[in-house]
Amino acid sequence: RDVVFLLDGSDDTRSGFPAMRDFVQRVVETLGVDENKDRVAVVQYSRDPAAQFYLNTYTTKGEILNTVRGLRHKGGRPLNTGAALQYVRDNVLTASSGSRRTEGVPQLLILLSGGRSFDNVDTPASALKELGHKGGRPLNTGAALQYVRDNVFIASSGSRRLEGVPQILILLNGGRSFDNVDTPASALKELGVLVFGIGTRSSDSRELQKISYDPSYALSVPFMLDLFRTSLCPVFPLPMHNLIKLFFEHSHSLVESQAPRRDVVFLLDGSDDTRSGFPAMRDFVQRVVETLGVDENKDRVAVVQYSRDPAAQFYLNTYTTKGEILNTVRGLRHKGGRPLNTGAALQYVRDNVLTASSGSRRTEGVPQLLILLSGGRSFDNVDTPASALKELGVLIFGIGTRSSDSRELQRISHDPSYALSVSDFTDLPNIQQQLLSSVESVTTMTPTAPRRDVVFLLDGSDGTRSGFPAMRDFVQRVVETLGVDENKDRVAVVQYSRDPAAQFYLNTYTTKGEILNTVRGLRHKGGRPLNTGAALQYVRDNVLTASSGSRRTEGVPQLLILLSGGRSFDNVDTPASALKELGVLIFGIGTRSSDSRELQRISHDPSYALSVSDFTDLPNIQQQLLSSVEKDVVFLVDGSDGTRNGFPAMRDFVQRVVGKLNVGGDKDRVSVVQYGRDQEVHFYLNTYTTKEDILNTVRSLRHRGGRPLNTGAALQYVRDNVLTASSGSRSQEGVPQMLILLSGGRSSDNVDIPASALKDSGVLIFGIGTRNSSREVQGIATDPSFSQSVSEFTDLPSVQEQFFSTLKTVQVEATPKTPTVIGKNGCAPRRDVVFLLDGSDDTRSGFPAMRDFVQRVVETLGVDENKDRVAVVQYSRDPAAQFYLNTYTTKGEILNTVRGLRHKGGRPLNTGAALQYVRDNVLTASSGSRRTEGVPQLLILLSGGRSFDNVDTPASALKELGVLIFGIGTRSSDSRELQRISHDPSYALSVSDFTDLPNIQQQLLSSVESVDVVFLVDGSDGTRNGFPAMRDFVQRVVGKLNVGGDKDRVSVVQYGRDQEVHFYLNTYTTKEDILNTVRSLRHRGGRPLNTGAALQYVRDNVLTASSGSRSQEGVPQMLILLSGGRSSDNVDIPASALKDSGVLIFGIGTRNSSREVQGIATDPSFSQSVSEFTDLPSVQEHNVNIFSVLFLKLLVDQSIARKDVVFLLDGSDGTRNGFPAMRDFVQRVVEKLTVEENRDRVSVVQYSRESEAHFYLNTYTTKEDVVNTVRGLKHKGGRPLNTGAALQYVRDNVFIASSGSRRLEGVPQILILLNGGRSFDNVDTPASALKELGVLVFGIGTRSSDSRELQKISYDPSYALSVSEFTDLPNVQQQLLSAMSTVIVKVTTMTPTVKPTILGKINMVLISSIFTLTSGFEYLISQAPRRDVVFLLDGSDDTRSGFPAMRDFVQRVVETLGVDENKDRVAVVQYSRDPAAQFYLNTYTTKGEILNTVRGLRHKGGRPLNTGAALQYVRDNVLTASSGSRRTEGVPQLLILLSGGRSFDNVDTPASALKELGVLIFGIGTRSSDSRELQRISHDPSYALSVSDFTDLPNIQQQLLSSVESVVIDVTPESTTDLGTCHHC
């Protein structure tokens, strides 16, 4: 629990305060205080509230009690209880202050108030409660209990049930339920929820007792008001007192009732060799059991003894009391026998003891423990059964003697450390405590079940109107087969024509019923043209995202089922590829009107594209759809005495079903189990990999016979032994699990529990029964419709077709196979490349050559946000980032910036500091590094001299991060230093001077570890004359490679009509063998030339692991194609498939093939052309240069500003006539924009009473799409006009990253509001919220608008424009466009300081000439270096004499700042035991006010010194938007701490929290301070400064100011003029 005491400290409670303090102490005494148990905070208030301590200030009861005892009465008036409640809500019950509300931890506020409040308490009290009376009838308590079970007591809602945290439900009920309460109440109890029921005399007391966890947990009051009215207890009324006692006094029993539950099995060696030691083993078991909390719902115990065979002495569900177990253990007799078969015993425990029928609660997440006592070496194999137990999650402890095999015991145990040893069993007491400690540490396990995210994308264009009902029915039938649940399958439906529209998202519904109801109600969308590409992109950007419910990042398979009835009008390839790159499995279903090739390109694989004549034929392709994905199918066949006559028919049925399956290792797998009294596996899922083997075995099956029929045990057996990974099940890979049960009689045991366990695991159960078993089979099946009935099994053929049609309706999904890729992370080659350039005085002449080198390398990269990223840092004395990894997303932008780089100059050369800077500021997530995603990090250092500082530590730190460092130096560099910095000495390269950089590319080539190279050589009739030259070319390239098993590998393939592999990648391991074979190559001849087939052949047969490809290990894959003619077959699809797999394709063609080869190559620049192949030597050197950069793994024009523009259109009744003019205006403005994904983006929202987004910023990437959609806009209508709600909607739903906003990338955000009337709701708050985000709002209104309201909404009053009617909009169009064109606001949330710039004098003249933009110009000027500076002053008793010096120091620093609301802001906090803000960042806006206040500061006094609490206070109360912090606008946050002593509390956590926010902390201490503590607090140890005492502060003032000034980083190096130097403009 999180408990907050709110104490009235006003003047009127002075005499009563000691009693209040004592009360708090007494209540705290009853709590279980701990960071992970109960937490406490105390707030005292009068006029203002003050936190005495927060929920995370103290973690022990002693600290809290000490602090409470020392509380002093606050005093003051008037009493503002409302403000105090609000303060608790905003500042105490928050995550930063230690509240765990979002984790589901109960939040309790205990208010002790001695007077009437002077302010309003209702609003803040309501805000705390956030619960209002609902009203309505009838009372459905049962449904409410079920709702709580399904929606609240779940992990996603914060429940920690699976972590063993007690789950408590308190029901306050005032009447009898109209629905059934028994089932949901039982379901809650099964989950282990402790239900307390509190009712009135109107309640049904019996019903309440049934609902409650125990009848004694049902409490009663005459009326609800009596909960609070009766004062039978000094503080709380009796019912509340009872409840609080249950919480505060009996928390331990609550925890115990839920606590760590365990199933403990003792496996005792009872062989002949342990006869003398057996009594000691028996005593040991007794002593361990004594420590357990034995109960049916707590710990359970089983004992098995074994020698040759195992025997269960008792099972986990045999006894429910400790006494019974101890009595039985005392009476155990030694078994005797030999040999010792420990393996068989372990298997026995797995199959017979740790099962649901024997009392195991494994599937409920209860830990399973096996304690093995073994006195000798096993005669049989122990590895397989031990692994099988571990796969189930069983924790095995092994205890042996000197006669045991210690290695065997370690292999059996969960971990070698879990294997304990004694000399003999009489020494067991010596290791008892060690074992018990390990057992106690066991936490609860969480079972998992197959989960899928399934999206249906439906063609709703005009062409599918007649077929839409059939599409809708198809979706329903597929959904019927899914296991819909928040934690199992999720479903979304999107309909599209010209534009896509989500009917519902993956997280909209959590039950199958809701989804089916919505699908039934779907209406055909209509519209044209059909833009399938845009729809696919929409699904990627808006549906398969975490915010829409996708669990892709959790590894949940993503499936997209596309039903399309026509050819797309837009491009589908790019968005389809983008989906596949995300790992989405796409199934395409089309009609005869569809383009089948288009559908095949969209689908995961051409075989995943299915076709029907029209959509009414959809049911006919379900079997086709079924066979396109893999399944694990288990047949469970009744082989008891009652099915003897029908068995041949059952056997034939199995054969016919198997005949329909697509059997293969990675396709369908089959297992057959026969059962009666017990079970027999004929074969497992991984026994056979061919259909023929399975059918042969099924044909030879013999009837087993036996009675009684135990179907329940058989179901449990299948779950525990067949549907497991070790038996071939692929459930963990997302492969559907299906069980087909053929049962001919009623079971003698219980079938419900094991059937439910299978269903909970996601297994689909189909059942076929006879007249004797049909009802039972129906209950076992996943759904009654999944079961069939026959009179006798000889009648099976009569239901066969019906069964197949049921099976066909099951839409099963599989995890997409990961394509072969270069990167180890499973996607196309991505790299983060940082160039670190020596810009010191000594490299001035060489700098142009360095710049050229960077350009040449960047030219070879595949720059894109999701591919290669580049950063450049230049350094001399200090480093400076020219741009970061996420600054640019196109190659053009990077090259433009690199061309404009200016030499930095300066000395000395501090390479160490530069390396550290790269680690701390560039290779970070906020600067665009994708290191944590597994993307390779490369640093290329060009250094022209020896470093003046230490390079070893920062270089090591980079290598620890996994950064690959290449060092390039000149003759002036220190070669040893460069080798130490580089990843490996061989990665350090050298040139005479930087002008020789081009000459080192061959050196770069040899520094790469490995590459797989395939030569694909045209051997058709047309290349007969040129073949010798091609052969020579191959030899020369191979000569440049570093061939070896773990280095470079080579393969050569020759092709014409078909292909011939001369050797594979793993055929030869020496360069000599390869060259010898290449020299002997003979021309094949043949025609026609099938380059497409050859490319496909290489992909499928050469670039595979079995042929030596190391793509899965991250080794680059390269294909060099030499083609002398045009291909007779299609080359696009196989070339794309190779590129999608990450293969780099280089092509050399002749005049007959150059264009085709260019299209095949990874990039046109990767292709070369010769007249004839005899000219190959002329291109040789050029190619080797390309290769050298590639092998480095560095396959790595937007000067116009980018904008995100949102139009917000008034669509209310009052604008009906003017709407066409508004629509035209939007079109004309859009026409002026450069709409592209990486340039301008546009969104349109229309509103009246509510808001509706027509399209988002990332919906369209072309101007044409935007304009077409705008033309089709329809007036919304409605009233009243809620402009405030619309502004809030835009802020929360449009200006966000998932909707395409690039605000966090610094792209200007522009909102253009067209408004025709006064708003009915408040516009101030949402307008301010938009401005805080940095959104530039332009308001355009008519004479019906409220001009003042429009000015308040607009970014600046001058940004509010007016027309008489909307038909006059053309008159202000140019005015608006001019304003927009001058907006160059650079926003960043990550860089320490933003220094926005303008384009130069010309633009300044243009701006100043437009009267409406005067304020815009002022805005730009006001953006000069802004900082939020907080001084945190030690005001404890020990700094009394030094305080005047501290005060003077603050004044002198403030004197140097440019204080203004839009420039620098200042706050001062003083602290000792507690912190107190002297003034906040938004208290004063002039330097004079600040200086006056600082001069008047009085020393605070007090002890002890709690620097940690003060840092936390600054974070939570000063560096917040409400206190004036502009952190979210990217303004640097600086904290200057002056501390004169060592802190009494912990400083590390709050200091880290500040650094995580990006706060730059400077620490200044005296000789009394703890210098190490100050260094830990500071941003960097070098930011910690020291003086002898505070009177020496002037000596370090300049050092501090220099550091502060250096925070100002120009983030717009590409601009020509910056504001800092442009005041004369």
Side-chain angles (χ1 to χ4, degrees), residues 1253-1306:
H1254 289 297
F1255 53 91
Y1256 295 96
L1257 290 164
N1258 53 3
T1259 305
Y1260 300 122
T1261 56
T1262 68
K1263 188 182 292 185
E1264 186 183 11
D1265 289 333
V1266 173
V1267 170
N1268 285 343
T1269 305
V1270 171
R1271 282 192 198 104
L1273 289 182
K1274 297 293 179 274
H1275 187 257
K1276 187 180 192 308
R1279 60 178 60 204
L1281 182 67
N1282 290 328
T1283 306
L1287 294 169
Q1288 191 65 36
Y1289 176 88
V1290 168
R1291 182 188 186 279
D1292 295 342
N1293 297 280
V1294 183
F1295 283 118
I1296 57 176
S1298 58
S1299 297
S1301 165
R1302 297 165 294 176
R1303 182 178 67 84
L1304 297 176
E1305 299 170 35

Coordinates of all heavy atoms in Angstrom, one line a residue, residues 1253-1306:
A1253 N -10.5 13.3 -37.8 CA -9.3 13.4 -38.7 C -9.6 12.8 -40.0 O -10.0 11.6 -40.1 CB -8.1 12.8 -38.0
H1254 N -9.6 13.6 -41.1 CA -9.8 13.0 -42.4 C -8.6 12.2 -42.9 O -8.7 11.2 -43.5 CB -10.1 14.1 -43.4 CG -11.5 14.7 -43.2 ND1 -12.6 14.0 -43.3 CD2 -11.8 16.0 -42.8 CE1 -13.7 14.8 -43.1 NE2 -13.2 16.0 -42.7
F1255 N -7.4 12.8 -42.5 CA -6.2 12.0 -42.7 C -5.1 12.6 -41.9 O -5.2 13.8 -41.5 CB -5.8 11.9 -44.2 CG -5.6 13.2 -44.9 CD1 -4.4 13.9 -44.9 CD2 -6.7 13.8 -45.6 CE1 -4.3 15.1 -45.6 CE2 -6.6 15.0 -46.2 CZ -5.4 15.7 -46.2
Y1256 N -4.1 11.8 -41.6 CA -3.0 12.2 -40.7 C -1.8 12.6 -41.5 O -1.7 12.5 -42.7 CB -2.7 11.0 -39.7 CG -3.8 10.7 -38.8 CD1 -4.7 9.6 -39.1 CD2 -4.0 11.4 -37.6 CE1 -5.7 9.3 -38.2 CE2 -5.0 11.1 -36.7 CZ -5.9 10.0 -37.1 OH -6.9 9.7 -36.2
L1257 N -0.8 13.1 -40.7 CA 0.4 13.6 -41.4 C 1.2 12.5 -42.1 O 2.0 12.8 -43.0 CB 1.4 14.2 -40.3 CG 0.8 15.5 -39.7 CD1 1.6 15.9 -38.4 CD2 1.0 16.7 -40.7
N1258 N 1.0 11.2 -41.7 CA 1.7 10.1 -42.4 C 0.8 9.3 -43.3 O 1.2 8.2 -43.7 CB 2.4 9.2 -41.4 CG 1.5 8.7 -40.3 OD1 0.3 9.0 -40.3 ND2 2.1 8.0 -39.3
T1259 N -0.4 9.8 -43.5 CA -1.3 9.0 -44.4 C -0.9 9.1 -45.8 O -0.9 8.1 -46.5 CB -2.8 9.6 -44.2 OG1 -3.2 9.5 -42.9 CG2 -3.8 8.7 -45.0
Y1260 N -0.5 10.3 -46.3 CA -0.2 10.4 -47.7 C 1.2 11.0 -47.8 O 1.7 11.8 -47.0 CB -1.1 11.4 -48.4 CG -2.6 10.9 -48.4 CD1 -3.6 11.7 -47.8 CD2 -2.9 9.7 -48.9 CE1 -4.9 11.3 -47.8 CE2 -4.2 9.2 -48.9 CZ -5.2 10.0 -48.3 OH -6.5 9.6 -48.3
T1261 N 1.9 10.6 -48.9 CA 3.3 11.1 -49.1 C 3.4 11.8 -50.5 O 4.5 12.2 -50.8 CB 4.3 9.9 -49.1 OG1 3.9 8.9 -50.1 CG2 4.3 9.2 -47.7
T1262 N 2.3 12.0 -51.2 CA 2.3 12.8 -52.4 C 1.3 13.9 -52.4 O 0.2 13.7 -51.8 CB 2.1 11.9 -53.7 OG1 0.7 11.5 -53.6 CG2 3.0 10.7 -53.6
K1263 N 1.6 15.0 -53.1 CA 0.7 16.1 -53.2 C -0.6 15.7 -53.8 O -1.7 16.1 -53.4 CB 1.4 17.2 -54.0 CG 0.6 18.5 -54.0 CD 1.3 19.6 -54.8 CE 2.6 20.0 -54.2 NZ 3.2 21.1 -54.9
E1264 N -0.5 14.8 -54.8 CA -1.7 14.4 -55.6 C -2.7 13.7 -54.6 O -3.9 14.0 -54.7 CB -1.3 13.4 -56.7 CG -2.4 13.0 -57.6 CD -2.0 12.1 -58.7 OE1 -0.8 11.5 -58.6 OE2 -2.7 11.8 -59.6
D1265 N -2.2 12.8 -53.8 CA -3.1 12.1 -52.9 C -3.8 13.1 -51.9 O -5.0 12.9 -51.7 CB -2.3 11.1 -52.0 CG -1.8 9.9 -52.8 OD1 -2.5 9.6 -53.8 OD2 -0.8 9.3 -52.5
V1266 N -3.0 14.0 -51.4 CA -3.6 15.0 -50.5 C -4.7 15.8 -51.2 O -5.8 15.9 -50.7 CB -2.5 15.9 -49.9 CG1 -3.1 17.0 -49.1 CG2 -1.5 15.1 -49.1
V1267 N -4.3 16.3 -52.3 CA -5.3 17.2 -53.0 C -6.5 16.4 -53.4 O -7.7 16.9 -53.3 CB -4.6 17.8 -54.3 CG1 -5.6 18.5 -55.2 CG2 -3.5 18.8 -53.8
N1268 N -6.4 15.2 -53.9 CA -7.5 14.3 -54.3 C -8.5 14.1 -53.1 O -9.7 14.2 -53.2 CB -7.1 13.0 -54.8 CG -6.5 13.1 -56.2 OD1 -6.8 14.0 -56.9 ND2 -5.8 12.1 -56.6
T1269 N -7.9 13.9 -51.9 CA -8.7 13.7 -50.7 C -9.4 14.9 -50.3 O -10.6 14.9 -49.9 CB -7.8 13.1 -49.6 OG1 -7.1 12.0 -50.0 CG2 -8.7 12.7 -48.4
V1270 N -8.7 16.0 -50.4 CA -9.3 17.3 -50.0 C -10.5 17.7 -50.9 O -11.5 18.1 -50.4 CB -8.2 18.5 -50.0 CG1 -8.9 19.8 -49.8 CG2 -7.2 18.2 -48.9
R1271 N -10.3 17.4 -52.2 CA -11.4 17.7 -53.1 C -12.7 16.9 -52.7 O -13.8 17.3 -52.9 CB -11.1 17.2 -54.5 CG -10.2 18.2 -55.3 CD -10.1 17.9 -56.7 NE -8.9 18.5 -57.3 CZ -7.8 17.9 -57.6 NH1 -7.7 16.6 -57.5 NH2 -6.8 18.6 -58.1
G1272 N -12.5 15.7 -52.1 CA -13.6 14.9 -51.8 C -14.2 15.1 -50.4 O -15.1 14.4 -50.0
L1273 N -13.7 16.1 -49.7 CA -14.2 16.4 -48.3 C -15.7 16.8 -48.3 O -16.1 17.6 -49.1 CB -13.4 17.5 -47.6 CG -11.9 17.2 -47.3 CD1 -11.3 18.4 -46.6 CD2 -11.8 16.0 -46.4
K1274 N -16.4 16.3 -47.4 CA -17.8 16.6 -47.2 C -18.0 17.4 -45.9 O -17.3 17.1 -44.9 CB -18.7 15.3 -47.1 CG -18.7 14.5 -48.4 CD -19.3 15.3 -49.6 CE -19.3 14.4 -50.9 NZ -18.0 14.7 -51.6
H1275 N -18.9 18.4 -45.9 CA -19.2 19.2 -44.7 C -19.7 18.3 -43.6 O -20.6 17.5 -43.9 CB -20.1 20.3 -45.1 CG -20.4 21.3 -44.0 ND1 -21.5 21.2 -43.2 CD2 -19.6 22.3 -43.5 CE1 -21.4 22.2 -42.3 NE2 -20.2 22.9 -42.5
K1276 N -19.2 18.5 -42.4 CA -19.5 17.6 -41.3 C -20.9 18.0 -40.7 O -21.7 17.1 -40.4 CB -18.4 17.8 -40.3 CG -18.5 16.8 -39.1 CD -17.3 17.1 -38.1 CE -17.1 16.1 -37.1 NZ -18.2 15.7 -36.3
G1277 N -21.1 19.2 -40.5 CA -22.3 19.7 -39.8 C -22.3 19.4 -38.3 O -21.4 18.7 -37.8
G1278 N -23.3 19.9 -37.6 CA -23.4 19.7 -36.1 C -23.2 20.9 -35.4 O -22.7 21.9 -35.9
R1279 N -23.7 20.9 -34.1 CA -23.5 22.0 -33.2 C -23.5 21.4 -31.8 O -23.9 20.3 -31.6 CB -24.6 23.0 -33.4 CG -26.0 22.5 -33.1 CD -27.0 23.6 -33.3 NE -27.0 24.2 -34.6 CZ -27.5 25.4 -34.9 NH1 -28.0 26.1 -33.9 NH2 -27.5 25.9 -36.1
P1280 N -23.0 22.2 -30.8 CA -22.3 23.5 -30.9 C -20.9 23.4 -31.4 O -20.4 22.3 -31.6 CB -22.3 23.9 -29.4 CG -22.2 22.7 -28.6 CD -23.0 21.7 -29.4
L1281 N -20.3 24.5 -31.5 CA -18.9 24.6 -32.0 C -17.9 24.5 -30.8 O -17.9 25.5 -30.0 CB -18.7 25.9 -32.8 CG -17.3 26.1 -33.4 CD1 -17.1 25.1 -34.5 CD2 -17.2 27.5 -34.0
N1282 N -17.2 23.4 -30.7 CA -16.3 23.2 -29.6 C -14.8 23.3 -30.1 O -14.2 22.3 -30.4 CB -16.5 21.9 -28.9 CG -17.8 21.9 -28.2 OD1 -18.2 22.9 -27.7 ND2 -18.4 20.7 -28.1
T1283 N -14.4 24.6 -30.3 CA -13.0 24.8 -30.8 C -12.0 24.3 -29.8 O -10.9 23.8 -30.2 CB -12.8 26.3 -31.1 OG1 -13.8 26.7 -32.0 CG2 -11.5 26.5 -31.8
G1284 N -12.2 24.5 -28.5 CA -11.2 24.1 -27.5 C -11.0 22.6 -27.6 O -9.9 22.1 -27.6
A1285 N -12.1 21.8 -27.7 CA -11.9 20.4 -27.7 C -11.2 20.0 -29.0 O -10.4 19.0 -29.0 CB -13.3 19.7 -27.7
A1286 N -11.4 20.7 -30.1 CA -10.8 20.4 -31.4 C -9.3 20.6 -31.3 O -8.5 19.9 -31.8 CB -11.4 21.2 -32.5
L1287 N -8.9 21.8 -30.6 CA -7.5 22.1 -30.4 C -6.8 21.0 -29.6 O -5.7 20.5 -29.9 CB -7.3 23.4 -29.8 CG -7.7 24.6 -30.6 CD1 -7.8 25.9 -29.7 CD2 -6.8 24.8 -31.8
Q1288 N -7.5 20.5 -28.6 CA -7.0 19.5 -27.7 C -6.8 18.2 -28.5 O -5.9 17.4 -28.4 CB -7.9 19.2 -26.5 CG -7.3 18.4 -25.4 CD -6.1 19.0 -24.7 OE1 -6.0 20.2 -24.5 NE2 -5.1 18.2 -24.4
Y1289 N -7.8 17.9 -29.3 CA -7.8 16.7 -30.2 C -6.6 16.7 -31.1 O -5.9 15.7 -31.2 CB -9.1 16.6 -31.0 CG -9.1 15.4 -31.9 CD1 -9.6 14.2 -31.5 CD2 -8.7 15.6 -33.3 CE1 -9.6 13.1 -32.4 CE2 -8.7 14.5 -34.1 CZ -9.2 13.3 -33.7 OH -9.2 12.2 -34.6
V1290 N -6.4 17.8 -31.7 CA -5.2 17.9 -32.6 C -3.9 17.7 -31.8 O -3.0 17.0 -32.3 CB -5.2 19.3 -33.3 CG1 -3.9 19.6 -34.0 CG2 -6.4 19.4 -34.3
R1291 N -3.8 18.3 -30.6 CA -2.6 18.1 -29.8 C -2.4 16.7 -29.5 O -1.3 16.2 -29.6 CB -2.7 19.0 -28.6 CG -1.5 18.9 -27.7 CD -1.7 19.6 -26.3 NE -0.5 19.6 -25.6 CZ 0.0 18.6 -24.9 NH1 -0.6 17.4 -24.9 NH2 1.1 18.7 -24.2
D1292 N -3.4 16.0 -29.0 CA -3.3 14.6 -28.5 C -3.3 13.5 -29.6 O -2.7 12.5 -29.3 CB -4.4 14.3 -27.5 CG -4.4 15.2 -26.3 OD1 -3.3 15.8 -26.0 OD2 -5.4 15.3 -25.6
N1293 N -3.8 13.8 -30.8 CA -4.0 12.8 -31.7 C -3.3 13.0 -33.1 O -3.1 12.0 -33.8 CB -5.5 12.5 -32.0 CG -6.2 12.0 -30.8 OD1 -6.2 10.9 -30.4 ND2 -6.9 13.0 -30.1
V1294 N -3.0 14.2 -33.4 CA -2.4 14.5 -34.7 C -0.9 14.9 -34.5 O 0.0 14.4 -35.3 CB -3.2 15.6 -35.4 CG1 -2.6 15.9 -36.8 CG2 -4.6 15.2 -35.5
F1295 N -0.6 15.8 -33.6 CA 0.8 16.3 -33.4 C 1.5 15.3 -32.6 O 2.2 15.6 -31.6 CB 0.8 17.7 -32.8 CG 0.5 18.8 -33.8 CD1 -0.6 19.6 -33.6 CD2 1.3 19.0 -34.9 CE1 -0.8 20.6 -34.5 CE2 1.1 20.0 -35.8 CZ 0.0 20.8 -35.6
I1296 N 1.5 14.0 -33.0 CA 2.2 12.9 -32.2 C 3.0 12.1 -33.3 O 2.6 12.0 -34.4 CB 1.2 12.0 -31.4 CG1 0.2 11.4 -32.3 CG2 0.6 12.8 -30.3 CD1 -0.8 10.5 -31.6
A1297 N 4.0 11.4 -32.8 CA 4.9 10.7 -33.7 C 4.1 9.6 -34.5 O 4.3 9.4 -35.7 CB 6.0 10.1 -32.9
S1298 N 3.2 8.9 -33.8 CA 2.5 7.8 -34.4 C 1.6 8.3 -35.5 O 1.2 7.5 -36.4 CB 1.7 6.9 -33.4 OG 0.8 7.8 -32.8
S1299 N 1.2 9.5 -35.5 CA 0.4 10.1 -36.6 C 1.2 10.8 -37.6 O 0.7 11.5 -38.5 CB -0.7 11.0 -36.0 OG -1.5 10.3 -35.2
G1300 N 2.6 10.7 -37.5 CA 3.4 11.3 -38.5 C 4.1 12.6 -38.2 O 4.9 13.1 -38.9
S1301 N 3.8 13.1 -37.0 CA 4.4 14.4 -36.6 C 5.9 14.1 -36.3 O 6.3 13.2 -35.7 CB 3.8 14.9 -35.3 OG 4.6 15.9 -34.8
R1302 N 6.7 15.1 -36.9 CA 8.2 15.0 -36.7 C 8.7 16.1 -35.7 O 9.8 16.6 -35.9 CB 8.8 15.1 -38.1 CG 8.5 14.0 -39.0 CD 8.8 14.3 -40.4 NE 8.0 15.4 -41.0 CZ 8.2 15.9 -42.2 NH1 9.1 15.5 -43.0 NH2 7.4 16.9 -42.6
R1303 N 7.8 16.5 -34.8 CA 8.2 17.5 -33.9 C 9.5 17.2 -33.1 O 10.3 18.1 -32.9 CB 7.0 17.7 -32.8 CG 7.2 18.8 -31.8 CD 6.1 19.0 -30.9 NE 5.9 17.8 -30.0 CZ 6.6 17.6 -28.9 NH1 7.4 18.5 -28.5 NH2 6.3 16.5 -28.2
L1304 N 9.6 16.0 -32.7 CA 10.8 15.6 -31.9 C 12.0 15.6 -32.7 O 13.1 15.5 -32.2 CB 10.6 14.3 -31.2 CG 9.4 14.2 -30.2 CD1 9.2 12.8 -29.7 CD2 9.7 15.2 -29.1
E1305 N 11.9 15.6 -34.1 CA 13.0 15.7 -35.0 C 13.4 17.2 -35.3 O 14.2 17.5 -36.1 CB 12.8 15.0 -36.3 CG 12.5 13.5 -36.1 CD 12.0 12.9 -37.4 OE1 12.5 13.3 -38.4 OE2 11.1 12.0 -37.3
G1306 N 12.6 18.1 -34.7 CA 12.9 19.5 -34.9 C 12.1 20.1 -36.1 O 12.4 21.2 -36.5

